[in-house]
Amino acid sequence: MRSRTRMALILALTAVALPLAVAPRKARAQGADSVVACETLIAARRIDAAAGGGGPAPSEAGCRRIPRSAIGAVEQRALIGGAPYECMTIADGGRCLWIVP
């Protein structure tokens, strides 16, 4: 009987969590109205690693602040050291930019 209750709980939690896990996401992050976006993943990774100490994000070639309203859908995803990175389309931007988490 206990295993049935446990299985029912697991199924109920999965039914709630699964739609959240597969839903398209917008960029999460830094400021209320802007984020740091970079042309290369390595530049975004460097900023993320350096800013991990809680200080201000350093500047990096090919990176700039963009308004959240200009961010579109995810084109590419990468997972480095457990940190998710997303290359998002940018309005009037041509190619996607890597958003610093």
Side-chain angles (χ1 to χ4, degrees):
M1 191 65 161
R2 224 172 163 188
S3 64
R4 282 187 178 174
T5 304
R6 190 174 301 154
M7 182 60 90
L9 179 60
I10 291 170
L11 290 174
L13 291 174
T14 302
V16 170
L18 187 59
L20 296 174
V22 297
R25 296 182 298 159
K26 292 285 185 183
R28 49 191 166 36
Q30 314 113 2
D33 54 353
S34 68
V35 295
V36 175
C38 301
E39 293 176 8
T40 64
L41 177 55
I42 190 70
R45 176 70 181 112
R46 280 188 216 155
I47 288 176
D48 188 29
S59 61
E60 187 76 34
C63 297
R64 61 187 179 276
R65 284 208 163 270
I66 59 167
R68 284 185 183 273
S69 59
I71 298 173
V74 176
E75 277 191 18
Q76 299 176 36
R77 287 193 170 110
L79 188 64
I80 300 174
Y85 294 89
E86 297 175 330
C87 194
M88 313 283 285
T89 57
I90 307 299
D92 302 325
R95 53 179 261 183
C96 67
L97 296 176
W98 291 95
I99 304 300
V100 177

